[in-house]
Amino acid sequence: MATLHEQLSRVTSASVPVLFGVFALSQGIEHATGGEPLTGLLLSVAPLLTIAAGFFAAGVYVYRSPLTARMLWMLDGWAVVGGLVGGTIGSLFLVYQDTHGGTLVHANYVVVNSAAGFAAIGTLLGYMTLMRSVKAGELATTSEILDTVRELNRQIATIDDREALESAVCETIASADPYVFAWIGSVDGDELVPRASAGAEDGYLETIRITVTEGDTAAGPTGTAARTHESVVMQNIYENDAFEPWREAARERGYQSSIAVPLVFQGTLYGVLSIYADREEAFAGRERAVLEEVGVTLTNSIAASETRRRESKLLNSMHDVVLVYTADSGTLLDANQAALDRLGVDAASLSGTRLASFVEGELEDDWFKEGRSSEQSVFESSFRTADGETFPVEVSAVETRYRGERATLALARDVTNRREQLRSLRTYMEAIEHAGHAIYITDADGVIEYVNPAFEEQTGYETADILGQTPAVLQSGRYDDEFYDDLWETIQNGEQWHYEGMIDTRKDGSEFYIDQTIAPIEIDGEIVRYVAIHRDISALKENQQQLEERNEQLELLNQIVRHDIRNDMQIVLGMSQLLEERVDDDCRSMLDTITEKSDHVVELTQTVGELMTTLLGEEPEETGTISVRSVLESEVESLAHAYPNADVRIEGEVPTTRVCANEMLDSVFRNVLNNAIQHNRADVPEVVVEATEDDDSFVVTVADNGPGIPEIQRRTVFGKGERGLESSGTGLGLYLVQSLVEHYGGSVEVSENDPTGSIFEIRLQKASTAPEELV
C-alpha cells in the first residue's frame, strides 16, 4: 500500500487539471445560458466544453499515470504556465480592442478561451516533453541492459565453474545503472539461502528470511518464483502488500521494484535470480523479457556445469582408471583422478602424452581396434606407472566424440586383486583337497555336491557313490528326529551348528566318533550352500575314556593319601608323644626323628590332597568372595604355635576387604608361610606378614630372613617339583600356590629381602573390581 505522502502527492497533482476542467466547464455553462448569439456560443461554449473534457481526462491520467510524482508536478507546471500565457494574451487582446475601439468578440470569451486553451496546449506540450524524456531514459536503460546482457552472455560462455559464474552474473547486473542489487539463492529445505550476491546489499540478506511453501515470508517475488517456477515482477515494492515482511529493509537501501527469475531446467530448480532497482516500474515489457532470457541462458549453463561436475565427481570417485585418447594416434586427452594417482602423474604432464608411455608395448595394439563405434571392446592389458611398476588391467573401450574430435573412452580395472583371489581360491581348493579332515558341500536342499579325499578315506564312500546323496547315509540311528530337526533349524536360520562326539557310520557299517561343524554359505542374504567339516575323534574318545579311568584311579589314590595314610600317621604321632616319657636319652634323638618325619608326612599328605583337589577339579566351579583377614590371621597363628622359637608376626592391621577366592585360600597362605619357616636356618627365624590394598588389588607380602632364593631360580621356583637348594620337600607347595592364585585371577612373585631372605608377594583381585565371571 502506498504511503500517505505519495497518495497526497498524486491526488494534488491530479487536482490541477481537474480544476482547470471545472473552470472551463463552469464558464461554458455560463455562456450557454447567458443568451449569447449563435456566434458567441460557437466561439466559447463548444471549445470550453471540449477543453473541460480534456482536462478531466488529464486528471484521471495523472492520478493513474506510471510517471513519477516529480514528472506529474512538471506536467501540472506546463498546464499552469499555459493558462497564464493564454490569460495574458487574452487580456492584451482586450486592451487592444479598447485602444482602437470596436468589439469583435465578447471580452469574457477572449480571456476564458485563451486561458483554457493555452492551459490545454501547455498540458499537451508538457506531456509530449515528458514522454520524450521517458522514452530517452528507457532507450538509455535498454542500451545499458543490452550491454549488460552481452557481458552476461560472455561470462556464461567462458566461465565453467558454477560458483564463479553466479558471482560474476550478480556483479555484472549490480554494476549496471538500471539496477542496484542482485543475488542468487537456492532452496534448502523450505528456505532460500544466498549463493552469490553483489551491489547495495548492506546486510540485507542477513536480515530477511524467505520461505517457499507457506506463510507471509513465502508470498514475495522470490519465494513465489521458486514455488511456481515462473518469473515474478513487483513494480512498486512500497505499494504491494506481498512485500510487507521485507519493506522496511528494502526502503533503507532504496529498493523500489524487483524481479525474481527462477533458474529451472527440465523441471529442476537450480535457484532464483533476484534483481532490485531504485525506481518504480523498472521491469516492464522488453526489459522483463530480456532478463527472463538471461535467466534461461544462465540456467542452461548452470545445468551443464552441474552435469559436468556430477560426471567429474562420478569419474573421480571411481577406483578404476578412466582415459580419453585420440582414436588414431593414442594421444591422451583427459583422465580421472584414479588414473593420475595410479599412473603416478599429474594432469598437466598427462595431457598430450602418448598412450604408449603407460602401456606395455606388445599389448598396445589392443587399444586401437576398429569397430568400437558400434560395440564395446573388452580386452586385457597391462599398465606401466611412472615409477616403473606394472599391474594388469581389464579394459572396456568404446569410440566417442571429445571436444569435437574422434576419440576412445576406456575404463581400465586393476585385476591384480582378482588374480590374487583366483590364486587364493585355487590355494583354498588345494587346501581342502589335502585337508586331514573330511569336508563336504551340499546345496540348499542338503544334496551333496562335493567331497574331499579325506571324506572318502574317513567314510569309505567314493566320490561317485556319495554325490547326489544326502548326509543321511552316514546316520548311525542313535539320534531321533528331534535331533536332526534342531540341526536343520539351526543352519537354515543362518547359524553355525556344532556337535562334538557325534556317532556316524562308515560305508562298511562301522561306527566312529566325529567332531562335526556345519555352516551355511550366504550370498546376498540367501543361503545357497552348506559346508560340513568332520574331524574323526575316535582316538580322542578312546583317550578320554582312558583319562576318565585314570581319574578314577587318582580319586582312589587321593582318598588313600588324604584319609588312610594321614589317619595312620596321626596314630604314629600320637604314640610318639606317649613314648617321649618312656625312652632314655640314647633313644631320644631317634624318637625326635620319627616325630619330625611323621609331621612332614602329615604335612605332605595335606599338600598332596589339596593339589589333587585342584588337579581333579574338586574345587567349586565358580570363585566366590572371601575375607582375607580371618584366613591370614588363622594361618599366621598356627605357624607361630608350631614354631615357638621363631618370630612370626603380622605388621599393621589386615584390611577386611573381600577378594575373589574360595575355601582353598588358606592353602595358599599356609604353603607360603611354611616355605618361609622350614627352609630358614637363622638362629631366630623371622617371618613378617603385611597386607595392603590399592584400587584393584589386595596384596599380601611374606618376608623371611632365610637364605633366600637365587635370582636364576626365582623364575622356576613355582614349577611343579622345583625345590630349594637345601630343601628336602617335594616342591609341590609353591606349584599349588601359583595354580590357585592364577585361578583366582591374581599373581604371585618372589624377590630378594634385605639383607637376606625372600619376599613373596601375593596379589589378589578385590571382589568389587573383578570381572563378572570371577565373582
Side-chain angles (χ1 to χ4, degrees), residues 13 195 203 313 528 659 740 759:
S13 299
R195 289 181 54 87
K313 184 178 181 180
V528 295
V659 300
L740 287 172
I759 299 176

Side-chain angles (χ1 to χ4, degrees), residues 64-329:
R64 297 181 176 179
S65 173
L67 299 177
T68 63
R70 179 174 175 276
M71 290 183 174
L72 294 178
W73 280 111
M74 292 175 64
L75 184 61
D76 291 341
W78 277 90
V80 171
V81 170
L84 292 175
V85 171
T88 302
I89 293 174
S91 299
L92 292 175
F93 182 72
L94 291 178
V95 172
Y96 179 83
Q97 285 190 123
D98 289 339
T99 304
H100 296 82
T103 302
L104 298 175
V105 182
H106 193 282
N108 190 26
Y109 297 167
V110 174
V111 175
V112 170
N113 287 4
S114 297
F118 274 90
I121 293 171
T123 301
L124 182 59
L125 290 175
Y127 174 76
M128 294 173 63
T129 302
L130 290 175
M131 290 311 294
R132 281 197 301 272
S133 176
V134 169
K135 291 296 182 181
E138 289 180 351
L139 183 60
T141 300
T142 301
S143 177
E144 180 70 22
I145 292 173
L146 291 176
D147 291 340
T148 302
V149 169
R150 281 192 291 271
E151 177 60 22
L152 291 175
N153 288 333
R154 186 192 65 79
Q155 293 171 344
I156 292 172
T158 57
I159 300 177
D160 186 58
D161 180 70
R162 177 180 178 180
E163 287 74 15
L165 175 61
E166 290 174 337
S167 297
V169 167
C170 290
E171 290 172 2
T172 300
I173 293 175
S175 62
D177 288 342
Y179 314 117
V180 293
F181 176 53
W183 67 285
I184 295 176
S186 61
V187 177
D188 183 5
D190 189 46
E191 292 191 16
L192 273 161
V193 295
R195 289 181 54 87
S197 63
E201 192 264 344
D202 194 22
Y204 176 72
L205 297 177
E206 298 175 2
T207 62
I208 66 171
R209 177 175 179 265
I210 300 176
T211 56
V212 177
T213 59
E214 59 183 16
D216 294 341
T217 54
T222 306
T224 303
R227 184 172 58 256
T228 62
H229 290 191
E230 296 181 359
S231 61
V232 178
V233 170
M234 189 165 288
Q235 299 288 29
N236 192 330
I237 287 175
Y238 304 150
E239 293 184 358
N240 198 311
D241 293 337
F243 211 84
E244 177 62 30
W246 316 281
R247 178 173 293 127
E248 290 305 317
R251 187 193 305 276
E252 292 174 1
R253 294 161 179 82
Y255 308 157
Q256 296 193 47
S257 58
S258 74
I259 183 173
V261 180
L263 307 178
V264 180
F265 182 77
Q266 295 182 350
T268 300
L269 179 69
Y270 289 94
V272 178
L273 170 62
S274 296
I275 306 172
Y276 297 80
D278 58 358
R279 68 188 193 283
E280 299 176 2
E281 304 293 334
F283 301 102
R286 178 171 175 77
E287 188 170 348
R288 173 176 180 172
V290 169
L291 292 175
E292 288 176 344
E293 286 296 325
V294 170
V296 171
T297 306
L298 175 61
T299 305
N300 291 338
S301 179
I302 290 176
S305 175
E306 286 297 293
T307 300
R308 289 191 295 272
R309 185 185 64 82
R310 286 192 297 269
E311 291 175 349
S312 176
K313 184 178 181 180
L314 176 62
L315 290 176
N316 286 324
S317 66
M318 296 175 62
H319 297 294
D320 297 331
V321 172
V322 179
L323 298 173
V324 180
Y325 58 94
T326 57
D328 51 357
S329 64

Side-chain angles (χ1 to χ4, degrees), residues 294-374:
V294 170
V296 171
T297 306
L298 175 61
T299 305
N300 291 338
S301 179
I302 290 176
S305 175
E306 286 297 293
T307 300
R308 289 191 295 272
R309 185 185 64 82
R310 286 192 297 269
E311 291 175 349
S312 176
K313 184 178 181 180
L314 176 62
L315 290 176
N316 286 324
S317 66
M318 296 175 62
H319 297 294
D320 297 331
V321 172
V322 179
L323 298 173
V324 180
Y325 58 94
T326 57
D328 51 357
S329 64
T331 301
L332 293 174
L333 302 175
D334 205 348
N336 68 340
Q337 189 60 44
L340 301 177
D341 296 339
R342 198 69 181 89
L343 297 177
V345 295
D346 54 34
S349 61
L350 182 71
S351 180
T353 304
R354 297 288 297 274
L355 184 65
S357 301
F358 302 101
V359 177
E360 292 295 314
E362 64 273 13
L363 303 174
E364 186 179 353
D365 292 342
D366 293 333
W367 296 76
F368 297 96
K369 290 183 178 179
E370 298 293 333
R372 284 180 179 155
S373 58
S374 58

Side-chain angles (χ1 to χ4, degrees), residues 673-749:
L673 290 170
N674 285 338
N675 183 79
I677 198 75
Q678 289 175 352
H679 303 154
N680 199 320
R681 298 294 180 263
D683 294 337
V684 179
E686 183 180 74
V687 179
V688 180
V689 180
E690 189 174 359
T692 60
E693 61 179 331
D694 53 30
D695 292 340
D696 302 323
S697 304
F698 189 100
V699 182
V700 177
T701 59
V702 178
D704 64 65
N705 62 343
I709 301 174
E711 183 177 0
I712 192 173
Q713 196 176 359
R714 292 174 197 163
R715 295 190 296 270
T716 60
V717 72
F718 296 102
K720 183 167 61 176
E722 291 292 331
R723 297 181 295 176
L725 295 177
E726 301 178 0
S727 173
S728 61
T730 63
L732 296 178
L734 293 182
Y735 172 69
L736 175 63
V737 169
Q738 186 181 50
S739 298
L740 287 172
V741 171
E742 289 182 351
H743 176 70
Y744 300 153
S747 63
V748 57
E749 296 179 356

Side-chain angles (χ1 to χ4, degrees), residues 465-477:
D465 298 332
I466 202 68
L467 294 184
Q469 301 288 334
T470 67
V473 299
L474 302 174
Q475 292 180 7
S476 62

Side-chain angles (χ1 to χ4, degrees), residues 33-65:
T33 58
E36 297 291 340
L38 180 59
T39 302
L41 292 175
L42 294 175
L43 292 176
S44 63
V45 176
L48 288 175
L49 293 178
T50 302
I51 292 172
F55 274 122
F56 286 135
V60 173
Y61 171 79
V62 168
Y63 182 75
R64 297 181 176 179
S65 173

Side-chain angles (χ1 to χ4, degrees), residues 394-694:
E394 181 183 76
V395 183
S396 298
V398 64
E399 188 170 304
T400 185
R401 301 291 297 180
Y402 185 82
R403 297 176 181 173
E405 186 176 1
R406 190 171 69 90
T408 299
L409 171 66
L411 184 148
R413 175 163 297 175
D414 188 342
V415 294
T416 302
N417 291 337
R418 184 194 301 175
R419 292 186 178 181
E420 290 179 353
Q421 289 170 357
L422 288 175
R423 284 196 294 269
S424 298
L425 181 60
R426 286 195 293 267
T427 301
Y428 295 149
M429 290 304 300
E430 287 291 324
I432 291 175
E433 285 287 314
H434 294 86
H437 301 324
I439 300 174
Y440 66 86
I441 299 174
T442 75
D443 63 12
D445 296 324
V447 178
I448 297 176
E449 296 181 336
Y450 167 83
V451 296
N452 70 339
F455 180 90
E456 297 177 332
E457 180 180 352
Q458 187 181 108
T459 65
Y461 285 99
E462 299 291 336
T463 300
D465 298 332
I466 202 68
L467 294 184
Q469 301 288 334
T470 67
V473 299
L474 302 174
Q475 292 180 7
S476 62
R478 290 177 175 265
Y479 309 98
D480 55 18
D481 293 340
E482 184 178 355
F483 176 86
Y484 292 105
D485 289 342
D486 177 66
L487 184 158
W488 271 104
E489 182 179 355
T490 300
I491 61 178
Q492 286 177 339
N493 287 335
E495 300 175 6
Q496 180 177 287
W497 187 84
H498 177 258
Y499 193 91
E500 182 177 357
M502 187 173 180
I503 301 175
D504 269 356
T505 58
R506 299 183 178 92
K507 184 178 181 180
D508 60 8
S510 62
E511 294 183 343
F512 65 107
Y513 287 94
I514 61 171
D515 181 358
Q516 184 179 57
T517 301
I518 303 177
I521 301 174
E522 295 187 31
I523 298 178
D524 296 332
E526 179 183 359
I527 297 176
V528 295
R529 297 286 189 279
Y530 296 104
V531 58
I533 301 176
H534 286 185
R535 182 167 65 94
D536 190 342
I537 59 171
S538 299
L540 183 63
K541 279 292 182 181
E542 183 178 348
N543 292 336
Q544 185 177 350
Q545 291 174 355
Q546 293 176 357
L547 287 174
E548 290 175 355
E549 294 175 359
R550 196 67 63 83
N551 282 341
E552 291 177 359
Q553 296 170 356
L554 289 174
E555 285 282 3
L556 178 60
L557 177 61
N558 186 27
Q559 291 178 4
I560 292 173
V561 170
R562 298 182 65 179
H563 298 93
D564 299 345
I565 296 177
R566 189 170 183 179
N567 290 340
D568 290 345
M569 292 309 301
Q570 292 290 351
I571 294 173
V572 171
L573 283 172
M575 290 184 175
S576 297
Q577 292 174 358
L578 294 175
L579 289 174
E580 286 182 356
E581 299 176 357
R582 299 187 181 187
V583 298
D584 53 21
D585 293 339
D586 295 336
C587 297
R588 176 70 61 183
S589 61
M590 290 186 291
L591 181 61
D592 289 342
T593 301
I594 292 173
T595 301
E596 180 183 354
K597 295 302 181 182
S598 298
D599 285 336
H600 182 66
V601 171
V602 171
E603 179 188 345
L604 180 60
T605 56
Q606 182 175 3
T607 301
V608 171
E610 292 170 348
L611 181 60
M612 294 288 288
T613 299
T614 302
L615 295 177
L616 295 175
E618 291 186 355
E619 75 276 7
E621 292 183 0
E622 293 186 1
T623 300
T625 62
I626 290 181
S627 174
V628 179
R629 172 187 278 184
S630 58
V631 177
L632 185 59
E633 290 178 347
S634 175
E635 293 300 328
V636 170
E637 183 179 353
S638 296
L639 184 66
H641 179 74
Y643 295 92
N645 295 327
D647 181 10
V648 182
R649 68 183 186 276
I650 297 176
E651 285 194 353
E653 185 176 352
V654 179
T656 59
T657 305
R658 300 182 71 84
V659 300
C660 296
N662 55 27
E663 66 273 9
M664 294 191 70
L665 181 62
D666 55 356
S667 299
V668 173
F669 296 138
R670 181 169 57 253
N671 279 282
V672 174
L673 290 170
N674 285 338
N675 183 79
I677 198 75
Q678 289 175 352
H679 303 154
N680 199 320
R681 298 294 180 263
D683 294 337
V684 179
E686 183 180 74
V687 179
V688 180
V689 180
E690 189 174 359
T692 60
E693 61 179 331
D694 53 30

